[in-house]
Amino acid sequence: MPATITRNFTNNDKFVWLVTLVYYINMFLSFGRSNAALLIICSILVLVTTNYKFEFKLYHLFVFQFCLFCYATAFWAMGYAYAIDKGNTIFFIFLSMSVFYSYYEDLPKCGVDILLHIMLYGAYIIVLYSIFFIGVSKLASMSEDAERVSAGTNANTMGLVAATAIVINTYYYLSGKHRKLMLMAIPCIYLIAGSQSRKALFMMVAGVVLLYFLKNLRGKKDNLLPIMKFVFFMGVIIGIFIFLSQTDLFSGAVRRMEGFINSVTGEGEVDSSTSKREFMRKIGWIQFSRTPLLGIGMGCARLLTQKAMDIDGYLHCNYAELAADGGIVGLISYYSMYIYVLVKEIKYFKVDNLAILFLALIILKFFTDWGMVSYYSKGVYFSFMVYFLHIQWCKRQYPHLNKKRRAT
């Protein structure tokens, strides 16, 4: 049975939701030094307007142990200042997210739903702001000329935010909610085209397909109708993708995707961006083979690119970055969070609808992390907060599953 709402929401609650929305938007839009100040202000506002009571939960344990690992790597790091900086970043995220976690865990299941709506509406605000900042006509010309857009944040971030909004809205659409809001997919697709982000394009297409697949996977196994629906849906998606790939709007994104595919297959032309990122990943894995256990210190992979390529940048692969920086211990320290939430969401997949969405988002993250460094991203830990809150609610809502687990 669904959880019942046992609390009347006040204007104070609505204020906290608004502050959370501002916090979420500010995590992705870059306004220089004012970003950190605004995030601190938002955290303080929630702290003073709620009955804050800190309780050390699994979410805090996972984030804090990774924070401590970042600090610990300073003792053997190639550049200890980088390791301390990464530790400070994770610690700041730990403190601010703890304030929001404390408030939303006191809500019934609607607390998770509220956070999902904040992520959805926040993403749409970011998309509209980005399009307004750049300009519709300029965005179209950038797509055709294979230039990459930027509007207070980098192109990949903009594209991934837009793709995440489409995936979340698709979940609600398949659940019979917010169907008119799916019209916002149009500016999202437009922005993804302008960003030319291969990860965003993959997440948008694969996310929608994965959601539909997981939803039908829960249907009756002896019923062919879900399978037929999925096959038809796949045909529609493939048809739309083929159509969009032939338009000028998606020409840049498609060329970049083709370059990535060619790099994997070893056939065809590979663009310079793909070649450069492939070389960066190789640098990370070579370093991992030399320091496999503890790495060279968190944040220090940039020293490798400086030496090999004269570029002060990261390795554009979360796995290679963590492997080089923290070795096997670093990979386990960070990805243990993903493994935990993945296993738990699979456990509740058959009984809770939100598990469908969260499983899709977690699986997609395993793929997109191959092309980006995300372990210090505030958005990642915001998503973790939502996952852990959902798991915490499911433990209370479905105690029979926990009893079965203990009995085996």
Side-chain angles (χ1 to χ4, degrees):
M1 294 179 62
T4 55
I5 299 176
T6 58
R7 168 175 172 175
N8 294 320
F9 294 117
T10 65
N11 290 331
N12 191 59
D13 290 305
K14 295 175 182 177
F15 175 74
V16 173
W17 303 344
L18 178 61
V19 172
T20 309
L21 177 64
V22 174
Y23 185 95
Y24 184 80
I25 293 171
N26 196 60
M27 287 192 304
F28 297 100
L29 294 180
S30 177
F31 301 107
R33 294 183 178 179
S34 61
N35 266 82
L38 186 55
L39 292 174
I40 292 172
I41 291 172
C42 288
S43 302
I44 293 174
L45 285 174
V46 174
L47 182 65
V48 299
T49 55
T50 61
N51 297 320
Y52 178 72
K53 183 177 68 173
F54 178 77
E55 293 183 16
F56 202 78
K57 299 295 178 67
L58 272 175
Y59 171 76
H60 304 96
L61 175 63
F62 275 110
V63 178
F64 192 61
Q65 60 84 24
F66 182 61
C67 173
L68 290 180
F69 175 77
C70 290
Y71 280 130
T73 62
F75 288 102
W76 61 83
M78 290 177 63
Y80 71 91
Y82 294 122
I84 293 175
D85 179 65
K86 286 296 176 283
N88 290 340
T89 299
I90 305 301
F91 186 63
F92 170 76
I93 293 172
F94 171 80
L95 291 178
S96 61
M97 291 297 174
S98 295
V99 175
F100 291 97
Y101 194 100
S102 175
Y103 168 78
Y104 285 100
E105 77 166 331
D106 285 340
L107 303 183
K109 186 183 181 182
C110 63
V112 177
D113 195 54
I114 289 168
L115 285 169
L116 275 176
H117 280 81
I118 287 172
M119 293 173 67
L120 180 62
Y121 294 128
Y124 284 151
I125 291 172
I126 293 170
V127 168
L128 293 176
Y129 165 81
S130 300
I131 292 176
F132 176 79
F133 181 90
I134 300 165
V136 177
S137 59
K138 187 176 180 181
L139 184 62
S141 64
M142 283 180 172
S143 301
E144 296 169 8
D145 298 337
E147 298 178 24
R148 305 198 70 190
V149 300
S150 179
T153 187
N154 68 61
N156 279 322
T157 299
M158 287 166 41
L160 287 171
V161 167
T164 301
I166 291 176
V167 173
I168 294 175
N169 210 152
T170 300
Y171 162 77
Y172 281 119
Y173 181 87
L174 293 175
S175 303
K177 302 176 183 178
H178 304 319
R179 295 201 161 180
K180 292 183 179 179
L181 197 59
M182 278 302 294
L183 291 173
M184 279 298 298
I186 297 174
C188 286
I189 293 173
Y190 199 67
L191 186 63
I192 290 171
S195 72
Q196 297 181 40
S197 171
R198 289 170 292 203
K199 293 179 288 294
L201 184 59
F202 166 80
M203 185 174 185
M204 177 182 67
V205 177
V208 172
V209 173
L210 189 56
L211 271 179
Y212 202 88
F213 172 76
L214 291 174
K215 182 175 175 61
N216 283 280
L217 191 63
R218 288 179 58 183
K220 295 181 179 180
K221 294 184 178 180
D222 57 347
N223 189 352
L224 291 176
L225 185 59
I227 299 176
M228 294 173 63
K229 284 183 177 180
F230 179 72
V231 173
F232 174 76
F233 179 75
M234 280 293 296
V236 173
I237 290 294
I238 293 173
I240 293 174
F241 182 75
I242 292 174
F243 171 76
L244 291 175
S245 66
Q246 295 176 346
T247 63
D248 291 336
L249 184 62
F250 272 87
S251 59
V254 170
R255 281 195 296 269
R256 286 172 54 79
M257 184 65 77
E258 288 176 348
F260 172 75
I261 294 173
N262 291 340
S263 70
V264 174
T265 60
E267 299 179 358
E269 184 179 352
V270 179
D271 60 279
S272 59
S273 174
T274 301
S275 299
K276 184 183 296 183
R277 296 187 179 199
E278 187 177 1
F279 182 65
M280 288 178 170
R281 288 193 293 268
K282 185 179 293 185
I283 291 173
W285 293 121
I286 291 174
Q287 182 60 53
F288 174 63
S289 68
R290 295 171 178 171
T291 51
L293 185 60
L294 295 172
I296 58 173
M298 299 305 294
C300 293
R302 63 194 308 168
L303 298 176
L304 302 177
T305 59
Q306 286 178 5
K307 182 178 180 180
M309 306 173 66
D310 197 25
I311 296 176
D312 184 13
Y314 299 103
L315 301 180
H316 293 279
C317 174
N318 209 54
Y319 302 105
E321 184 86 17
L322 282 169
D325 285 349
I328 295 174
V329 177
L331 285 167
I332 294 174
S333 178
Y334 178 76
Y335 278 104
S336 59
M337 292 184 273
Y338 276 107
I339 299 300
Y340 176 81
V341 294
L342 178 66
V343 170
K344 290 298 182 180
E345 293 297 351
I346 291 175
K347 178 180 179 180
Y348 299 114
F349 170 69
K350 289 291 185 180
V351 295
D352 193 85
N353 289 331
L354 278 175
I356 297 174
L357 172 62
F358 295 146
L359 269 177
L361 291 174
I362 294 166
I363 292 171
L364 289 171
K365 198 70 178 69
F366 278 114
F367 285 97
T368 57
D369 268 2
W370 183 256
M372 63 186 297
V373 177
S374 62
Y375 72 85
Y376 57 87
S377 168
K378 299 178 184 65
V380 166
Y381 295 92
F382 191 96
S383 297
F384 272 134
M385 177 179 70
V386 179
Y387 302 152
F388 275 91
L389 285 171
H390 177 246
I391 292 169
Q392 188 173 318
W393 180 87
C394 284
K395 286 181 178 179
R396 296 195 300 265
Q397 187 67 13
Y398 311 111
H400 61 286
L401 293 179
N402 301 319
K403 290 179 181 178
K404 286 182 180 179
R405 184 65 175 266
R406 286 195 293 267
T408 55

